[in-house]
Amino acid sequence: MIDHLDEAVIPTGFDVPVEPLRRAAHYTGEQGCIAEARSFAALFLDQLRTEWCARIDERVDGAVLLVVSELVTNADRHSNGPYILELVGTDSAVTVSVYDSSSALPRIFPRNPERIGRHGLEIVHALAEQVSVERVPVGKRVRAVLPLSESTQG
């Protein structure tokens, strides 16, 4: 609702729902893309702090950057084309989604400390509250939801 006082507009509440902060970046797979994706995510978290006044635990900040690294690395290694990183945030959670051109769904392997490599999804599952994988018309989307504070994790 908006009140008017002497021709001045005085907002007294929200007229429309507040939309989550949403940013996306397109990567070609060239050298340096993973570092660029991490920088993009760090700027996103700063923007979320500023625009949403989000309180982000230091551990969660690092977890978001690690999830971005793992998902972008997987897309870089296992798809034959470009990929997209999409970040969506509110004051309570960040959703990291990576779209790539491969329709092959990723596999999570049983825990094995002696195995070299292939721990990416295991790490993502350990850090995220929810992880999902789905086929989309251009390939697949891997999505991870991370609560912004440890107190909201289940």
Side-chain angles (χ1 to χ4, degrees):
M1 179 161 92
I2 297 177
D3 287 338
H4 298 272
L5 179 63
D6 295 327
E7 297 185 33
V9 176
I10 303 169
T12 57
F14 292 106
D15 291 330
V16 294
V18 176
E19 294 292 322
L21 180 62
R22 223 178 261 283
R23 298 289 180 264
H26 179 271
Y27 299 97
T28 60
E30 294 175 18
Q31 189 168 354
C33 286
I34 297 163
E36 286 178 30
R38 285 179 56 89
S39 294
F40 178 78
L43 289 172
F44 176 84
L45 291 171
D46 287 343
Q47 190 174 9
L48 194 60
R49 284 182 184 96
T50 303
E51 292 183 18
W52 271 82
C53 299
R55 299 180 76 195
I56 305 172
D57 291 348
E58 187 177 317
R59 188 197 78 71
V60 175
D61 193 290
V64 170
L65 297 181
L66 184 52
V67 166
V68 166
S69 289
E70 292 297 336
L71 295 183
V72 168
T73 296
N74 287 347
D76 192 65
R77 287 185 181 162
H78 302 292
S79 71
N80 293 325
Y83 43 92
I84 297 170
L85 168 63
E86 178 186 52
L87 303 170
V88 178
T90 65
D91 60 345
S92 62
V94 169
T95 301
V96 177
S97 298
V98 175
Y99 297 81
D100 69 45
S101 60
S102 172
S103 62
L105 300 181
R107 293 181 14 208
I108 187 165
F109 295 92
R111 289 183 185 183
N112 179 352
E114 295 178 12
R115 182 179 67 242
I116 297 173
R118 299 190 177 211
H119 292 280
L121 273 183
E122 185 180 336
I123 293 167
V124 171
H125 276 272
L127 295 172
E129 183 178 70
Q130 299 172 13
V131 179
S132 62
V133 178
E134 67 178 331
R135 286 191 173 99
V136 294
V138 296
K140 71 175 167 295
R141 175 182 76 165
V142 181
R143 181 178 165 262
V145 179
L146 295 95
L148 292 185
S149 68
E150 292 184 45
S151 61
T152 60
Q153 290 180 330

